[in-house]
Amino acid sequence: MSQEVENIQPSYPLFRNDEYKESLANKREAYEERHPQEKIDEVFQWTTTKEYQEVNFNREALTVNPAKACQPLGAVLCALGFEKTMPYVHGSQGCVAYFRTYFNRHFKEPVACVSDSMTEDAAVFGGQKNMMAGLENAKALYKPDIIAVSTTCMAEVIGDDLNAFINNAKKAGHVEQDFPTPYAHTPSFVGSHTTGWDNMFEGMLRYFTLNHMDDKKVGSNGKINLVPGFETYLGNFRVMHRMMKEMGVDYTLMSDPSEVLDTPADGTFRMYAGGTTQAEVKDSPNAIDTLLLQPWQLEKTKKFVQNIWHQPATAINIPMGLEWTDEFLMKISELTGKPIPASLELERGRLVDMMTDSHTWMHGKKFSLYGDADFVMGMTKFLLEMGAEPTDVLCNHANKRWAKAMDKMLKDSPYGQKTVVHVGKDLWHFRSLVFTNKPDFMIGNSYGKFIQRDTFYKGEEFEVPLIRIGFPIFDRHHLHRMTTLGYEGAIYMLTTLVNAVLEQLDKETKGMGTTDYNYDLIR
């Protein structure tokens, strides 16, 4: 059963060889207390019924695949967006290994992040010693300009005080008194990755601006601040840079990890690359306004901008699709006095042309989708613009105000009248919905592939294909470089969606002499 150097095979098709199939069958027979296949199939079929869905939706004490990650993950991504910043997690080493691995698998890039490796003794006596040694070692080894500290469950359960620990480490000389160490408490057992991003970003603003507001004046630098929130499509950072430059707008994109998460393979390792500078953060209270590109996940940031910086944080929707991109650019134009250039008008026209070309294939198609609050809202809006019909829309960590806003948006469209919004539900709930209210497609991250496989197991006619848009995307390559914001993002999303529809149509009409009708060379 050993591999041969001349013919190294991956697990598939290796495990399909007879010797491996025999070995796995023997293991199952000898060591697994497995129910008969007939019973497994009986239970499986029951879990696809309306009766089971009612039982499933009544559970309270269990979450099955919540369609979210924990707070420190978001804090790490936020910190990576600032120039020469080392994310530092006060907690166990295993937690940080998880965060790094999660991002490694999505971005296909090395991700810098350190831990002070709390173990059992720190859980009993507190982690101050770990903090002192960790800050000193991180600064000496990796030479960052900023160390951004967040926490995990262990540190939060025992009540470690980051402010006290960091100040004590500085007083003891482990790092200089003026060395930048912004921090945020990010307990993993509440909130989500978007909450953690918001907390860490507010911690950055607090550290660099809270006690330095005396000489600040709103509008004095003539800039617009753009806050992306938890954003994992690197093209979205780049499209914001491009649109602002084409408009001639002076701006600051606050937390931009697009360079450090997309470094070239040219023989040089870059632990730090790009990012928002300290000078830009310190100057940000002088901006005309701060626009939150994902407002439903940036509540803490919004309050800080309004209460401390005294900027309006003008309300906008995530700039996805046609109408909300229009609104975003018109708001930028209104705030800055800069006209929308002909180049962006041409880009908008191309999008409208594409929507016209493709609407006949998208019209009436049914989609179920899940993900983060702003992304799901923006995607739903775009589907409605195309005449598609969302069936079930799920966001685990959204709130009732978001659900109310979603319901209003859906009721305002003829294509959203039958859509049901689900808050606080997980992917096992979503699986039930896909079976009992079968859509044509699902939209979501890589975890949806297991739901697709379950639908296929019931029978090919029940299969619901997954369109991978969201985070994380582990099982496809390079989608994280794509764009979902602006006209460019709408063009990418439309291309992805309509070609998924056409791919499925080809799958359903490939039978020679049986289903290959309707002049299907041309769509």
Side-chain angles (χ1 to χ4, degrees):
M1 293 174 64
S2 60
Q3 295 250 37
E4 299 175 357
V5 174
E6 292 80 12
N7 184 27
I8 299 293
Q9 294 181 330
S11 58
Y12 177 83
L14 182 66
F15 288 172
R16 292 291 85 200
N17 293 343
D18 289 340
E19 54 187 341
Y20 278 98
K21 289 196 289 186
E22 181 181 353
S23 175
L24 293 170
N26 291 337
K27 172 180 175 292
R28 185 180 303 117
E29 182 68 26
Y31 300 107
E32 295 181 11
E33 297 181 4
R34 179 183 172 123
H35 289 283
Q37 187 63 43
E38 295 78 10
K39 182 64 175 178
I40 294 173
D41 287 338
E42 177 188 342
V43 173
F44 172 85
Q45 293 296 334
W46 178 59
T47 66
T48 69
T49 64
K50 193 72 174 178
E51 176 192 6
Y52 177 79
Q53 180 181 310
E54 293 177 5
V55 175
N56 188 16
F57 271 70
N58 284 328
R59 62 182 160 92
E60 297 178 354
L62 177 69
T63 296
V64 184
N65 202 342
K68 67 174 183 178
C70 59
Q71 281 205 51
L73 186 86
V76 169
L77 182 64
C78 178
L80 288 169
F82 292 87
E83 185 182 53
K84 292 198 71 175
T85 297
M86 174 59 70
Y88 178 112
V89 181
H90 180 52
S92 68
Q93 185 173 349
C95 291
V96 173
Y98 159 70
F99 306 146
R100 294 179 65 185
T101 301
Y102 214 77
F103 286 134
N104 291 155
R105 290 171 174 171
H106 178 80
F107 293 109
K108 306 294 187 279
E109 289 284 336
V111 172
C113 180
V114 298
S115 162
D116 52 20
S117 300
M118 290 176 66
T119 53
E120 291 86 348
D121 59 340
V124 175
F125 301 108
Q128 180 164 269
K129 289 184 179 180
N130 299 68
M131 177 71 72
M132 289 178 171
L135 289 174
E136 183 174 1
N137 290 339
K139 185 174 184 298
L141 287 171
Y142 305 116
K143 298 177 175 53
D145 288 347
I146 302 172
I147 296 178
V149 184
S150 55
T151 54
T152 64
C153 295
M154 182 189 297
E156 290 296 328
V157 167
I158 64 177
D160 279 359
D161 185 336
L162 288 186
N163 184 50
F165 285 9
I166 292 170
N167 286 334
N168 289 341
K170 289 185 174 182
K171 289 176 184 177
H174 296 282
V175 290
E176 297 85 350
Q177 281 286 347
D178 60 349
F179 184 79
T181 49
Y183 67 89
H185 284 276
T186 53
S188 302
F189 44 80
V190 294
S192 69
H193 54 286
T194 62
T195 317
W197 199 101
D198 186 28
N199 285 339
M200 188 74 252
F201 188 77
E202 193 261 1
M204 283 279 189
L205 303 188
R206 185 173 296 276
Y207 185 91
F208 287 110
T209 69
L210 179 63
N211 297 319
H212 307 280
M213 293 297 298
D214 291 344
D215 61 341
K216 301 297 189 294
K217 183 179 179 182
V218 174
S220 60
N221 67 9
K223 291 185 174 183
I224 294 291
N225 297 325
L226 300 178
V227 182
F230 187 93
E231 177 57 72
T232 56
Y233 278 92
L234 302 183
N236 286 341
F237 298 95
R238 291 163 183 161
V239 79
M240 284 296 149
H241 285 301
R242 178 177 65 80
M243 290 194 300
M244 294 303 99
K245 288 175 181 176
E246 288 185 23
M247 287 187 71
V249 170
D250 204 359
Y251 69 100
T252 301
L253 185 55
M254 303 189 70
S255 184
D256 178 2
S258 58
E259 293 302 314
V260 75
L261 293 175
D262 196 16
T263 58
D266 58 3
T268 300
F269 172 65
R270 298 166 175 83
M271 181 170 290
Y272 310 109
T276 307
T277 66
Q278 291 186 46
E280 288 174 320
V281 179
K282 293 174 182 177
D283 186 44
S284 54
N286 291 318
I288 299 167
D289 201 354
T290 296
L291 300 185
L292 312 178
L293 302 185
Q294 299 193 72
W296 288 101
Q297 61 170 256
L298 294 168
E299 290 292 326
K300 204 168 183 180
T301 296
K302 179 181 179 180
K303 290 178 181 177
F304 187 90
V305 168
Q306 292 176 333
N307 297 334
I308 304 301
W309 291 0
H310 304 297
Q311 294 177 11
T314 300
I316 61 168
N317 294 299
I318 185 172
M320 289 177 69
L322 180 66
E323 182 179 345
W324 284 357
T325 299
D326 288 349
E327 291 179 0
F328 170 70
L329 292 177
M330 288 189 289
K331 180 57 64 177
I332 292 287
S333 179
E334 175 188 329
L335 291 169
T336 64
K338 301 284 187 178
I340 298 173
S343 59
L344 291 178
E345 291 183 359
L346 282 172
E347 189 175 359
R348 182 187 189 277
R350 293 187 183 105
L351 170 61
V352 173
D353 182 61
M354 290 179 65
M355 294 171 71
T356 305
D357 292 341
S358 300
H359 85 277
T360 52
W361 294 110
M362 292 291 293
H363 181 83
K365 290 296 179 183
K366 293 179 169 55
F367 294 85
S368 290
L369 57 155
Y370 61 92
D372 295 339
D374 292 282
F375 162 76
V376 165
M377 181 176 279
M379 179 59 72
T380 302
K381 173 68 172 177
F382 185 57
L383 290 173
L384 297 175
E385 289 179 332
M386 289 301 303
E389 298 177 13
T391 54
D392 292 284
V393 180
L394 183 146
C395 180
N396 180 281
H397 51 283
N399 55 35
K400 292 179 180 179
R401 291 187 298 106
W402 176 85
K404 186 176 180 180
M406 283 288 296
D407 285 336
K408 182 182 185 307
M409 179 181 74
L410 290 161
K411 296 309 178 188
D412 288 344
S413 168
Y415 309 112
Q417 300 302 305
K418 297 181 180 180
T419 308
V420 181
V421 176
H422 305 272
V423 171
K425 303 303 181 183
D426 57 41
L427 288 189
W428 194 251
H429 294 112
F430 190 78
R431 176 185 179 275
S432 283
L433 295 167
V434 170
F435 277 114
T436 60
N437 191 21
K438 182 182 181 299
D440 297 307
F441 298 90
M442 296 179 284
I443 300 174
N445 60 30
S446 290
Y447 290 103
K449 73 186 297 179
F450 301 107
I451 300 176
Q452 178 177 349
R453 289 182 178 185
D454 277 3
T455 60
F456 177 74
Y457 185 79
K458 184 170 183 176
E460 190 169 357
E461 68 274 22
F462 296 100
E463 183 178 10
V464 179
L466 170 66
I467 300 174
R468 289 163 174 80
I469 307 178
F471 172 83
I473 305 295
F474 288 155
D475 60 337
R476 296 292 186 271
H477 283 214
H478 312 305
L479 297 186
H480 66 276
R481 292 186 174 89
M482 299 298 105
T483 307
T484 60
L485 301 185
Y487 304 127
E488 181 181 331
I491 287 170
Y492 163 71
M493 291 191 297
L494 176 55
T495 302
T496 301
L497 294 171
V498 74
N499 284 320
V501 171
L502 297 177
E503 182 71 26
Q504 182 65 16
L505 182 60
D506 277 348
K507 181 180 177 181
E508 295 171 356
T509 58
K510 66 181 180 182
M512 188 175 295
T514 55
T515 61
D516 56 341
Y517 44 76
N518 200 31
Y519 304 101
D520 60 2
L521 175 64
I522 300 170
R523 301 294 192 192

